[in-house]
């Protein structure tokens, strides 16, 4: 039996001088375009002049043993080689960007030339010919080690055995194989570092911006309070390894969770604890001098001793935009309409009429078609969309979802044709049962796709399948009520039960929203994403749209019992559901991963 080979990296931060030779060599080796990087160097500065120091960290793909990017990729454009390298084939990539959501390290990006995903592949072409990766060869200080982790005679194995090493986000369970000697928490964990509005090369003209979105400020007040309440020692000279709750380096907008409307006085040199500064608000949360002192020291550590001064990773932009939250909305309408129509007839709530069911199936199929169009529009390589079905990776819920949608579409097509021809088999209990199952499957599969997006902590909630199901009930109930009240033939009998389903769905939706937003979260990224929804730049869309328009007003209208108000409730619920989808899909993507 041949010995196992398992390649990995070690970055020795004691040797790294931040020269960017690795970045340049990587770009030259792979002919990467300007504006994107497979390897980049992050600078962190600590202290106050003249007592300052700068730390460098090389960032890249971690070549995880349990790589989420390979699981979520629908066409096996990413795969784990037998030697442990996570390789990539741009000729297979459809540009769905699911790998970018799955990676907790922001290691993937869309190449503007090929319009496919790209990342460090360990220079696999060089390894196959017996050479080392280009970054290792070019490093003037031998700060980058590459080699077989399973071979005790290699320098990388000896270094790991004798030195204390750190890895990025090991709690994700990805088993990363990029290790740091003397790793700095300010570099390896993004939220620990404040970042000034402008810093070296932060305004590079090629920087890719988030789609029409301002990037929120680092919440320094909240970060200082959280760090002060932790168990971390905050004495003089202590380089805290605690991550400040809610902080994020990708900041700069006027409407983030911290509520800043203008440049911080402290950033301009003002006393952070003077009136009007962050320190006053932070210290006000404590009733004793000791707590106040810890908050002051926490502020100093965050603001003065750990600043990001160079990083190109923010060019890895928000990957899922309006197409995705529109697709979850249209899919919810399609699934809910099919599910409720089938259940109403199966349970005898309404008469099982073939023509009525065909009309419902037609509405469902139209929104399912819109869902398919939106999914294709979101691809960077839309002409390859059929590869999801023809070159499937069955570990990916994108593939499973595509097949569920395909089968549901075929069922709806048969139901429309058979129903309008008056074929009674369309409303046979077995047929209706199949329709209900397909409707439920169409509704909830996206929850499992989101769970594969390990880079987005807020999407990891175990209640997501139930929430997707509740949203489909709201969307389907609202749609059927509107169609019945406006007089579309066949839907009049469904107004009453649809209104009841809408009300029940809204109550369940409200409970689930409250549980997912307002209860404690397992990670700080999830906590921060929830804070940005409720108190940050998404607060208006969430409270006014998702809560008031989407839940409160529809429930009030349904309570009156008027058919006209029931239709209004349906329209409001659909509008509010779209606002909620926008917040839920977009907010977690504003959290920096690198």
């Amino acid at each position: 039996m041949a010995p196992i080979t398992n390649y990995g990296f070690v970055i020795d931060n004691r040797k790294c001088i931040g020269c960017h030779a690795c970045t340049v060599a990587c770009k030259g080796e792979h002919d990467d375009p300007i504006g994107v990087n497979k390897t980049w160097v992050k600078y962190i500065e600590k202290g106050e002049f003249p007592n300052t120091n700068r730390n460098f960290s090389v960032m890249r793909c971690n070549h995880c043993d349990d790589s989420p990017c390979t699981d979520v990729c629908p066409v096996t454009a990413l795969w784990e080689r037998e030697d442990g390298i996570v390789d990539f084939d741009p000729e297979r990539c459809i540009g769905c960007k699911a790998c970018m959501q799955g990676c907790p390290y922001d290691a993937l990006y869309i190449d503007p030339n090929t319009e496919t995903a790209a990342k460090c592949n360990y220079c696999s072409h060089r390894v196959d010919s017996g050479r080392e990766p280009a970054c290792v060869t070019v490093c003037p200080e031998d700060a980058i080690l590459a080699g077989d982790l399973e071979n005790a005679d290699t320098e990388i194995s000896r270094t790991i055995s004798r030195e204390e090493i750190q890895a990025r986000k090991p709690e994700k369970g990805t088993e990363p194989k990029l290790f740091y000697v003397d790793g700095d928490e300010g570099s390896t964990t993004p939220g620990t570092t404040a970042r000034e509005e402008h810093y070296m090369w932060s305004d590079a003209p090629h920087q890719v911006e988030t789609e029409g979105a301002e990037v929120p400020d680092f919440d320094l007040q909240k970060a200082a309070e959280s760090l002060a309440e932790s168990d971390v020692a905050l004495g003089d000279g202590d380089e805290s390894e605690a991550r400040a709750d809610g902080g994020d380096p990708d900041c700069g907008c006027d409407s983030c969770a911290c509520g800043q409307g203008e440049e911080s006085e402290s950033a301009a040199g003002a006393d952070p604890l003077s009136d009007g500064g962050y320190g006053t608000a932070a210290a006000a949360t404590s009733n004793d001098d000791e707590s106040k002192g810890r908050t002051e020291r926490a502020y100093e550590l965050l603001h003065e001793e750990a600043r990001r001064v160079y990083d190109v990773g923010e060019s890895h932009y928000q990957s899922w935009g309006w197409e995705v939250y529109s697709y979850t909305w249209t899919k919810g309408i399609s699934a809910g309409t099919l599910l409720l129509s089938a259940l109403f007839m199966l349970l005898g709530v309404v008469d099982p009429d073939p023509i009525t069911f065909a009309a419902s199936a037609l509405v469902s199929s139209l929104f399912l078609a819109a869902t398919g169009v939106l999914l294709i529009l979101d691809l960077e390589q839309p002409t390859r969309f059929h590869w999801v079905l023809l070159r499937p990776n069955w570990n990916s819920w994108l593939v499973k979802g595509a097949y569920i949608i395909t089968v549901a579409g075929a069922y709806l097509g048969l139901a429309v044709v058979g129903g309008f021809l008056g074929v009674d088999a369309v409303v046979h209990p077995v047929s209706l049962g199949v329709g209900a199952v397909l409707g439920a499957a169409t509704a909830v599969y996206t929850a499992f796709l989101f769970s594969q997006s390990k880079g987005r902590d807020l999407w990891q909630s175990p209640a997501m399948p139930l929430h997707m199901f509740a949203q489909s009930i709201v969307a389907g109930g609202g749609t059927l009520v509107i169609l019945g009240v406006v007089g579309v033939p066949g839907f009049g009998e469904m107004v009453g039960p649809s209104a009841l389903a809408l009300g029940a769905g809204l109550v369940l939706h409200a409970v689930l929203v409250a549980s997912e937003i307002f209860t404690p979260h397992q990670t700080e990224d999830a906590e921060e994403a929830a804070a940005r929804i409720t108190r940050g730049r998404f607060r208006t869309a969430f409270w006014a749209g998702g809560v008031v328009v989407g839940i409160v007003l529809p429930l009030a209208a349904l309570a009156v019992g008027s058919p006209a108000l029931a239709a209004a409730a349906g329209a409001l619920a659909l509008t509010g559901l779209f606002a909620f989808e926008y917040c839920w899909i977009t907010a977690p993507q504003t959290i920096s991963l690198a």
Side-chain angles (χ1 to χ4, degrees), residues 71-142:
D71 285 339
V72 78
C73 177
V75 292
T76 326
L78 286 151
W79 75 96
E80 295 179 20
R81 298 186 358 159
E82 292 183 356
D83 56 11
I85 295 173
V86 178
D87 212 339
F88 177 75
D89 183 2
E91 297 300 320
R92 293 186 67 95
C93 180
I94 63 174
C96 66
K97 304 179 285 288
C99 57
M100 298 171 65
Q101 305 292 1
C103 177
Y105 311 105
D106 201 17
L108 291 112
Y109 62 88
I110 294 296
D111 188 304
N113 289 345
T114 63
E115 295 185 324
T116 63
K119 71 169 196 68
C120 161
N121 71 339
Y122 207 90
C123 285
S124 57
H125 60 290
R126 292 173 62 94
V127 171
D128 290 341
S129 61
R131 296 179 293 168
E132 292 184 317
C135 59
V136 177
T137 303
V138 78
C139 181
E141 300 294 325
D142 291 328

Side-chain angles (χ1 to χ4, degrees), residues 120-435:
C120 161
N121 71 339
Y122 207 90
C123 285
S124 57
H125 60 290
R126 292 173 62 94
V127 171
D128 290 341
S129 61
R131 296 179 293 168
E132 292 184 317
C135 59
V136 177
T137 303
V138 78
C139 181
E141 300 294 325
D142 291 328
I144 304 177
L145 301 177
D148 184 4
L149 299 172
E150 302 296 330
N151 186 348
D153 295 328
T154 59
E155 180 62 24
I156 188 172
S157 293
R158 290 194 294 268
T159 300
I160 291 175
S161 65
R162 69 172 180 258
E163 302 291 348
E164 183 178 351
I165 58 173
Q166 298 82 35
R168 295 171 59 198
K169 302 181 181 178
E171 70 278 2
K172 289 292 184 180
T174 61
E175 299 184 43
K177 292 181 296 183
L178 171 62
F179 304 102
Y180 296 90
V181 177
D182 198 23
D184 183 84
E185 183 75 6
S187 294
T188 57
T189 307
T192 57
T193 1
R195 188 174 73 190
E196 306 298 339
E197 183 178 357
H198 301 286
Y199 58 95
M200 183 167 57
W201 290 10
S202 68
D203 300 315
H206 58 268
Q207 179 173 329
V208 183
E209 297 180 355
T210 301
E211 298 180 10
E214 298 177 349
V215 184
D217 288 335
F218 177 80
D219 192 344
L220 196 54
Q221 174 187 349
K222 183 177 179 181
E225 292 173 358
S226 177
L227 185 56
E229 294 170 0
S230 71
D231 296 330
V232 176
L234 300 179
D236 291 341
D238 175 29
E239 296 182 1
S240 169
E241 293 186 357
R243 178 170 184 188
D245 200 1
D248 181 72
D250 281 345
C251 52
C253 81
D254 297 330
S255 56
C256 72
C258 66
Q260 296 182 68
E262 57 189 31
E263 184 178 354
S264 166
E265 293 181 15
S266 57
D271 182 357
L273 299 179
S274 63
D275 290 342
Y278 285 112
T280 301
T285 64
S286 176
N287 295 322
D288 55 71
D289 292 339
E290 180 180 355
S291 179
K292 178 178 179 181
R294 281 185 60 81
T295 303
E296 293 176 11
R297 179 59 180 154
Y299 183 95
E300 293 171 0
L301 283 169
L302 288 170
H303 183 66
E304 299 180 20
E305 294 197 13
R307 295 179 299 276
R308 185 187 302 200
V309 293
Y310 175 81
D311 186 15
V312 299
E314 68 273 5
S315 63
H316 297 182
Y317 60 98
Q318 173 188 323
S319 53
W320 283 351
W322 68 270
E323 298 94 342
V324 174
Y325 56 78
S326 298
Y327 130 75
T328 58
W329 185 73
T330 57
K331 183 174 68 67
I333 295 175
S334 175
T337 302
L338 172 60
L339 174 62
L340 290 179
S341 298
L343 285 178
F344 290 160
M345 294 185 184
L346 184 64
L347 298 176
V349 177
V350 299
D351 292 332
D353 177 58
I355 295 179
T356 300
F357 188 69
S360 298
L362 178 60
V363 172
S364 179
S365 62
L366 290 175
F367 280 98
L368 192 65
T371 299
V373 170
L374 289 167
L375 284 171
I376 294 172
L377 286 176
D378 186 58
L379 301 179
E380 299 297 325
Q381 292 284 350
T383 59
R384 301 177 180 178
F385 76 93
H386 55 287
W387 289 2
V388 175
L389 300 175
L390 301 181
R391 300 181 177 183
N393 167 24
W394 287 104
N395 290 325
S396 172
W397 272 94
L398 262 175
V399 169
K400 296 172 185 176
Y403 272 92
I404 288 172
I405 288 178
T406 300
V407 174
Y411 172 86
L412 289 169
L414 292 174
V416 170
V417 174
F420 283 128
L421 291 177
V423 178
D424 290 336
V426 169
V427 290
H428 187 276
V430 173
S431 174
L432 294 174
V434 170

